[in-house]
Amino acid sequence: SFCTLLVVSKMRHTSLGVVVAAICLAVASAHATLHLAARAAPTATHASVTNGPLESITVTGTHYEVGWAVGNRFAALIRSRWTVDPGMEALYQWAMANATVSNYNASWYGATKRLYPKLLDEVRGVADGSGIEFSRIWFMTTHHELGAVQEAFTQSAGDKPVPPPDFNMPPVRRVGHCTDVRSDVPYGAPLWGHNEDSGIAEGNHTYVVIAKIVDEHDRSRVLENFTSYSYAGSVAGVAYGWNHHGLIVSLNALFSRLSNLDRSQTTDALPRGIVNRALYAERSVDDAVRALQGMRSVVSFSANFGHFEGGEENRFTNVEVDPMGGFSVTRSTHRVFPSTNGSAFFHGLRNYLYHANEYLWLTTPQYNDTSSAWRIKRLNEFAPPTTVADVRAMLGDTKYAAWPVYRNGLNGIMTLSTAVFH
């Protein structure tokens, strides 16, 4: 088992934004302790590491320094991720050799450099700290986009597939990430659980980044302060986490059939990883929604927002994004909002929402995800959750063994960790 349970309590939320009430339970296969050769490090105010079932790093510094510290600490884990996943290496080699993909990649890099240069510094810091070439670390930030390129290359025109100019493409890997179960009391703290699902190869290749970002010109000025469950080598923020303002974020993969790759080169479309990471700078749910509306993502995803402080502007919110600019905001209210598959429930003053890897609100054409359909079916069979124990029971359910909520490695996908916020 790779799974870790984190229970994050409102009472334990502090100005550091980093406290976990019940840390790292139920891990049978812990990360190995890593021993790295000493390297000359950039000046950072603070960095410390916690070893255990799920390793974490606490670091204070500039964007680059934080990235460097993470890369340096987890260099062996990042290299291991490449070793245990031959499919990732095959996709990387194809992407590097394919001229069409290189043009897309250059546009994503350029958009990030123009709009979020400091986040690009974080990516570069991970590369420099780990001693792994930047192109590989950048690939780990853009693999969602490369999957979209693969999908576009295999869509048919008439009755024939459309290959890229130098077609030698690895198989498309569509990995359904994550399940969210949410219950909301008006103006109250959230009751919210998230299963982080990914490929088996990702097992034991995650860690927690607890980062305080300071201004490079005035190190007493704190720009960001966040905690993020992170994949080895990938930019922080693509799974779930929270910041010191109390904002909570989780993500669900979505699989649009629409492709907007050519337009992405002229609209400053950003890799999903950069879009997701940028959300951790926001103060409230409203701020995060506005920020997301102001960005264009190359690929689809669902973002879930909540806040430890509750309040009107911090109501439970789900945002669905598609690559054509489609944008849907669904907020907790006392009315039934539209759903295409019955995954929203309301009872009295409490709202219930379950989200997996299919669109609920946008009518965007999508690839059907069998696992999502079965997960939602099973969650609908439960009474609406009212306690942390209820949420844990729902997210840990394996009744439908072929397509469980708590994913067991069948079809190549596992639940890597479960977080409960309350």
Side-chain angles (χ1 to χ4, degrees):
S1 170
F2 297 120
C3 186
T4 299
L5 171 68
L6 300 103
V7 180
V8 185
S9 162
K10 177 184 179 184
M11 294 302 294
R12 296 284 287 167
H13 169 250
T14 73
S15 61
L16 293 179
V18 300
V19 177
V20 179
I23 303 178
C24 306
L25 305 178
V27 178
S29 179
H31 294 166
T33 301
L34 306 179
H35 301 281
L36 305 180
R39 297 190 180 104
T43 301
T45 305
H46 174 73
S48 64
V49 174
T50 299
N51 293 320
L54 179 65
E55 294 187 43
S56 66
I57 181 170
T58 301
V59 58
T60 298
T62 65
H63 287 276
Y64 177 83
E65 291 166 354
V66 166
W68 194 99
V70 171
N72 182 256
R73 175 63 185 91
F74 296 110
L77 206 61
I78 298 169
R79 292 183 185 279
S80 172
R81 189 174 167 194
W82 286 89
T83 301
V84 301
D85 188 358
M88 190 163 73
E89 178 67 30
L91 183 59
Y92 170 75
Q93 294 296 342
W94 170 75
M96 293 296 289
N98 187 294
T100 303
V101 177
S102 295
N103 288 336
Y104 289 134
N105 198 24
S107 72
W108 307 333
Y109 175 88
T112 304
K113 187 175 182 179
R114 286 189 296 275
L115 300 176
Y116 290 97
K118 295 304 181 184
L119 299 189
L120 194 59
D121 286 347
E122 278 185 35
V123 178
R124 194 173 302 282
V126 172
D128 290 350
S130 65
I132 299 172
E133 54 264 51
F134 175 81
S135 62
R136 287 182 178 272
I137 301 300
W138 179 248
F139 169 91
M140 297 172 99
T141 300
T142 60
H143 66 94
H144 295 288
E145 287 66 35
L146 293 172
V149 173
Q150 288 182 290
E151 298 280 18
F153 284 169
T154 55
Q155 287 177 4
S156 50
D159 59 351
K160 296 181 180 179
V162 180
D166 50 348
F167 188 77
N168 189 24
M169 187 175 71
V172 176
R173 300 196 302 176
R174 196 181 302 134
V175 179
H177 288 271
C178 312
T179 307
D180 280 79
V181 170
R182 304 166 56 167
S183 175
D184 200 14
V185 177
Y187 312 109
L191 174 58
W192 175 3
H194 174 88
N195 274 358
E196 184 64 27
D197 303 333
S198 194
I200 294 175
E202 310 292 352
N204 286 346
H205 290 83
T206 61
Y207 44 74
V208 175
V209 175
I210 303 166
K212 182 184 291 186
I213 309 289
V214 299
D215 190 316
E216 61 187 306
H217 303 296
D218 177 6
R219 300 183 74 88
S220 67
R221 180 172 173 246
V222 177
L223 304 177
E224 297 183 56
N225 195 338
F226 65 85
T227 298
S228 168
Y229 179 87
S230 303
Y231 290 89
S234 298
V235 66
V238 299
Y240 61 83
W242 61 95
N243 67 19
H244 71 295
H245 299 299
L247 179 69
I248 312 166
V249 183
S250 75
L251 288 306
N252 311 115
L254 297 174
F255 304 106
S256 169
R257 287 183 174 271
L258 301 178
S259 172
N260 196 21
L261 292 168
D262 290 333
R263 188 178 172 202
S264 77
Q265 296 185 75
T266 61
T267 58
D268 275 336
L270 293 158
R272 177 195 145 177
I274 297 298
V275 172
N276 297 161
R277 167 64 185 86
L279 296 173
Y280 281 72
E282 302 305 324
R283 300 182 64 91
S284 69
V285 171
D286 278 358
D287 290 341
V289 171
R290 281 191 291 266
L292 203 50
Q293 285 178 309
M295 294 184 275
R296 176 63 58 86
S297 175
V298 178
V299 298
S300 305
F301 64 90
S302 161
N304 305 290
F305 300 114
H307 205 284
F308 284 106
E309 302 306 324
E312 178 67 17
E313 73 166 4
N314 290 318
R315 291 174 296 168
F316 249 2
T317 300
N318 172 261
V319 177
E320 293 179 343
V321 175
D322 78 22
M324 303 300 288
F327 192 89
S328 172
V329 180
T330 302
R331 314 201 72 162
S332 56
T333 64
H334 307 306
R335 62 181 177 82
V336 175
F337 42 79
S339 172
T340 57
N341 66 0
S343 66
F345 290 86
F346 297 86
H347 180 72
L349 296 180
R350 191 179 290 267
N351 306 329
Y352 308 95
L353 171 65
Y354 314 144
H355 208 297
N357 305 120
E358 292 186 331
Y359 286 101
L360 301 180
W361 325 118
L362 291 178
T363 57
T364 303
Q366 62 185 322
Y367 292 97
N368 293 331
D369 184 67
T370 303
S371 171
S372 287
W374 280 94
R375 279 179 277 157
I376 294 298
K377 169 182 168 62
R378 177 56 181 145
L379 293 173
N380 287 346
E381 294 171 359
F382 281 87
T386 59
T387 67
V388 169
D390 292 342
V391 172
R392 289 177 59 181
M394 295 170 77
L395 290 176
D397 186 80
T398 58
K399 176 181 177 180
Y400 297 121
W403 301 102
V405 177
Y406 187 89
R407 302 174 80 175
N408 54 14
L410 291 176
N411 306 297
I413 310 298
M414 293 193 69
T415 296
L416 303 182
S417 72
T418 295
V420 178
F421 302 97
H422 182 54

